[in-house]
Amino acid sequence: MVGGVMSGIGKGVATASVGRILKSKGFKVTAIKIDPYINVDAGTMNPVEHGEIFVTDDGTECDQDVGNYERFLDENLTTDNYITTGRVYEAVIHKERNLEYEGRCVEVVPDIPNEVIFRIKKAGKITGADFVLIEIGGTVGEYQNMLFLEAARMMRLQNPKDILFILISYLPIPEMIGEMKTKPTQTAVRLLNEAGIQPDIILGRAPLPLDEPRKRKISIFCNVLPEDVISAPDVESIYEIPINFEKENLGNRILKKFGLRTKKRNLKDWEKLVKTIKTAKKPVKIGIVGKYFETGKFTLMDSYISIIEAVKQASWFHKRKPEIHWLSAEKYEYNENCSRYIKELKDFDGIIVPGGFGSRGMAGKIKAIEFCRKQKIPYLGLCLGMQLAVVEFARNVCGLKGANSTEFNQKTKYPVIDVMPEQKALIREKKYGGTMRLGAYKCKIKPKTLSFRAYRCLQTSERHRHRYELNNEFREALERKGMVMAGINPVKSCQRQFNRVNPEKDLVEIIELKNHPFFVGTQFHPEYKSRPLRPHPLFREFIKASIKG
Ligand code: GLN
């Protein structure tokens, strides 16, 4: 799957939708995202620029599209599902240093594309997938993804019957003309042809479904059959996309091209979900107090995509229409109107403070948390949102004046949130990439807590991405004043997961407050594990409490 001349048109969701369709026809499917960046992983990227950093169970910090694949396929993916230019070059150089090229000249072509092909095949083998969907990031004609297109071309040459190319391209309807234009798609196909690739199927992204004249035009000029031009119109909810594609028979077109027998789909659960999405009328109003959504005059939501989806999924579970509002934390900080602004939080059914890094907006988030605690507004704090809830409680309830996270004040008298010694060493050596507490860790749930009511079990596993932790030295002081340590990473033995050992450290994973309808903070990121048909238990309970309030 490759994109036309414009980015941000939903290539990831389209790839994920194709995956869902093939899965619904009984196939095993996996998907790979290719990011053309030099970054080895997405962990070092700015979320406003790149969007959310998604984290898999095995601790890979990857592109948010991997999150889309997980949500649509309802499967846990791994590091094999993510390729970046950085990763490919790193591997080739490593092999070269190990004499794996047996003394010959190592060249950009074919050695880089060969490494890409090796990785794609490996992912297919490891997952045992019938179909490996590959999404090439960026757009056709740009310099950065050329080597990946080259890999795709080489793969087709090697296995012509096993490779299919899908182009997703935007068809604008300029207001002053009022007609859907096919030229950008024609240009995109030309550019692809220059790279030696002819698309087999074209997905036409547009505000509306493509009509017959448009399909005919694309067919003739782009050299594909009219029935292989598939409409991908704007939708109210991304979960409609597999259903829309199937209206045009995309799944069976793909099977036919591979010489496979066509199969019936079973998208019943999915159709039921879409029906709920379309019929839920009563709103549940959730405010997200964050900072990664402003870029110039635009508001971007990409940095919080998994949280948005988790809120939506939990709301639909309760047959409610999710209404998400973006609240800039800085508004509640040091200005003469801040006490007036903070009162707006009363208009919401529930408040979320999401994850984050650095001190900008921190004071505002703490103010918002204090307000939710005192006004008994349902509150869900995710990672930084949990850490700041601890800071707020330590300062205002336990009387630990100036309590803080050492991320924001290294000299604080009360470092209620602090780095682990091994993290200190990493920071000192400036080893930032891929070194946080990452991926799945076990969490023991305390009975008779809100969390236990949500999970309905005594142990779970959740995904992490942070350096700082609740400082165990302050646990007792916090508990004495009514903070409940509802989830703990147990110490008993070392848990071996995937290829590495996640040491167990007796760390607090969930905090709660008593005498509050819903006040929960998680050191992990539950949003990564929420799925459309299986909303995350904590989000489910948070929305339930928000509805009641
Ligand atoms: N900055 C905090 C830490 O590193 C929280 C990170 C997050 O919210 N993901 O621990």
Side-chain angles (χ1 to χ4, degrees):
M1 175 93 62
V2 64
V5 291
M6 205 171 117
S7 71
I9 57 169
K11 212 175 346 142
V13 176
T15 307
S17 298
V18 171
R20 181 78 215 179
I21 292 170
L22 293 172
K23 187 172 175 178
S24 84
K25 288 175 184 279
F27 293 101
K28 178 139 184 51
V29 184
T30 196
I32 298 176
K33 168 78 186 207
I34 294 182
D35 247 344
Y37 301 104
I38 303 283
N39 302 59
V40 171
D41 58 42
T44 50
M45 294 188 199
N46 176 342
V48 176
E49 206 179 301
H50 186 74
E52 172 190 87
I53 316 306
F54 189 77
V55 179
T56 50
D57 266 345
D58 67 357
T60 306
E61 296 172 279
C62 49
D63 183 84
Q64 62 187 37
D65 280 331
V66 177
N68 282 324
Y69 307 158
E70 282 206 350
R71 286 187 281 272
F72 277 70
L73 293 173
D74 199 2
E75 264 165 49
N76 294 333
L77 302 181
T78 69
T79 191
D80 295 311
N81 297 85
Y82 189 50
I83 299 178
T84 66
T85 300
R87 283 186 161 197
V88 173
Y89 272 85
E90 195 182 44
V92 169
I93 291 167
H94 183 75
K95 285 182 184 170
E96 184 276 329
R97 294 287 80 188
N98 291 351
L99 255 180
E100 286 178 44
Y101 295 101
E102 293 166 351
R104 71 169 172 79
C105 230
V106 183
E107 299 188 83
V108 171
V109 180
D111 293 306
I112 298 295
N114 273 341
E115 176 65 28
V116 176
I117 295 170
F118 167 77
R119 287 176 167 245
I120 291 170
K121 288 191 175 160
K122 182 176 155 214
K125 210 178 274 165
I126 286 175
T127 54
D130 302 309
F131 290 99
V132 181
L133 306 174
I134 302 144
E135 180 191 346
I136 301 183
T139 53
V140 292
E142 72 179 62
Y143 188 75
Q144 302 217 59
N145 59 15
M146 240 157 54
L147 291 167
F148 296 108
L149 292 180
E150 186 66 358
R153 184 193 63 76
M154 284 162 64
M155 269 189 109
R156 169 84 153 225
L157 185 71
Q158 291 160 8
N159 310 80
K161 290 205 185 98
D162 291 342
I163 311 289
L164 191 80
F165 292 120
I166 302 180
L167 169 75
I168 175 156
S169 178
Y170 193 68
L171 290 96
I173 310 178
E175 223 175 288
M176 62 285 191
I177 307 171
E179 189 198 357
M180 189 184 283
K181 304 305 278 179
T182 62
K183 254 305 150 43
T185 303
Q186 296 179 36
T187 307
V189 172
R190 291 254 146 82
L191 287 167
L192 255 188
N193 289 165
E194 271 176 31
I197 292 173
Q198 167 62 41
D200 299 285
I201 292 175
I202 295 179
L203 305 179
R205 273 288 291 116
L208 301 169
L210 275 53
D211 57 3
E212 280 316 304
R214 245 48 55 174
K215 285 195 173 182
R216 232 178 302 127
K217 214 165 178 184
I218 293 179
S219 163
I220 293 166
F221 289 111
C222 301
N223 205 17
V224 291
L225 295 172
E227 54 269 40
D228 292 328
V229 182
I230 308 283
S231 287
D234 285 352
V235 278
E236 207 180 301
S237 149
I238 51 171
Y239 300 111
E240 274 175 61
I241 296 172
I243 297 168
N244 274 355
F245 282 168
E246 274 303 81
K247 279 186 195 150
E248 304 206 7
N249 222 7
L250 177 60
N252 283 343
R253 291 302 305 162
I254 292 175
L255 296 186
K256 266 200 172 150
K257 286 190 183 288
F258 280 119
L260 296 166
R261 236 186 306 140
T262 57
K263 277 193 181 187
K264 270 210 179 118
R265 62 179 172 266
N266 181 359
L267 282 172
K268 281 205 182 82
D269 286 0
W270 211 257
E271 280 158 4
K272 213 171 123 197
L273 171 73
V274 170
K275 197 172 159 209
T276 306
I277 297 172
K278 293 198 159 194
T279 51
K281 289 280 174 302
K282 240 176 152 185
V284 53
K285 249 176 110 175
I286 303 299
I288 300 182
V289 183
K291 66 174 178 182
Y292 298 125
F293 39 71
E294 283 153 343
T295 161
K297 283 188 181 159
F298 300 95
T299 305
L300 291 184
M301 288 156 279
D302 266 15
S303 336
Y304 297 115
I305 196 91
S306 292
I307 300 174
I308 297 171
E309 293 308 315
V311 167
K312 288 181 175 173
Q313 293 156 6
S315 305
W316 294 325
F317 177 88
H318 294 290
K319 304 273 181 284
R320 290 289 181 124
K321 189 182 176 67
E323 218 184 276
I324 298 170
H325 296 257
W326 302 105
L327 309 170
S328 172
E330 284 159 287
K331 197 160 86 169
Y332 308 131
E333 289 174 8
Y334 327 111
N335 69 51
E336 72 251 38
N337 292 322
C338 64
S339 56
R340 184 160 57 82
Y341 285 144
I342 199 90
K343 290 199 183 107
E344 74 178 6
L345 297 182
K346 266 200 163 152
D347 299 338
F348 297 95
D349 299 316
I351 294 290
I352 292 177
V353 171
F357 296 82
S359 57
R360 185 168 66 84
M362 196 234 351
K365 288 180 187 176
I366 292 182
K367 284 254 178 68
I369 294 168
E370 181 184 5
F371 194 82
C372 291
R373 178 175 61 77
K374 288 185 175 159
Q375 301 293 323
K376 309 240 183 275
I377 301 169
Y379 173 74
L380 182 59
L382 307 171
C383 206
L384 181 67
M386 171 266 197
Q387 296 175 353
L388 295 183
V390 172
V391 170
E392 191 278 323
F393 192 81
R395 286 181 188 173
N396 300 332
V397 181
C398 304
L400 305 176
K401 220 169 144 227
N404 214 331
S405 161
T406 50
E407 182 178 2
F408 310 119
N409 179 4
Q410 288 185 11
K411 297 203 182 94
T412 171
K413 206 164 146 201
Y414 304 111
V416 287
I417 304 290
D418 199 5
V419 264
M420 309 277 292
E422 62 267 35
Q423 283 290 344
K424 264 186 199 150
L426 290 165
I427 295 172
R428 216 179 309 121
E429 290 164 39
K430 295 205 165 139
K431 288 191 173 154
Y432 296 121
T435 58
M436 286 188 241
R437 178 146 84 104
L438 288 169
Y441 283 79
K442 278 184 200 162
C443 174
K444 230 172 104 184
I445 313 277
K446 197 171 179 173
K448 294 188 193 150
T449 56
L450 283 167
S451 305
F452 182 75
R453 224 184 296 147
Y455 283 105
R456 296 184 195 126
C457 62
L458 287 169
Q459 185 160 299
T460 185
S461 161
E462 292 282 2
R463 298 180 190 172
H464 292 249
R465 182 173 184 256
H466 55 96
R467 264 182 227 288
Y468 295 79
E469 310 278 353
L470 192 150
N471 186 342
N472 281 341
E473 277 177 33
F474 291 91
R475 228 151 105 171
E476 242 185 81
L478 295 161
E479 280 175 318
R480 229 178 294 129
K481 290 285 182 182
M483 183 167 272
V484 181
M485 307 302 162
I488 303 287
N489 179 227
V491 253
K492 260 183 220 125
S493 63
C494 266
Q495 67 189 116
R496 185 168 279 282
Q497 294 205 27
F498 320 105
N499 296 324
R500 69 199 163 97
V501 174
N502 278 343
E504 292 165 345
K505 294 173 187 293
D506 185 29
L507 292 168
V508 174
E509 305 280 56
I510 311 178
I511 58 112
E512 293 180 8
L513 290 187
K514 289 180 189 154
N515 305 321
H516 192 288
F518 191 97
F519 193 104
V520 175
T522 60
Q523 186 55 84
F524 49 81
H525 290 272
E527 67 271 22
Y528 292 143
K529 289 187 74 175
S530 193
R531 304 275 163 88
L533 303 173
R534 294 185 297 124
H536 190 282
L538 288 176
F539 277 88
R540 205 188 60 222
E541 288 305 297
F542 166 65
I543 295 293
K544 190 171 159 194
S546 303
I547 292 167
K548 267 196 202 151

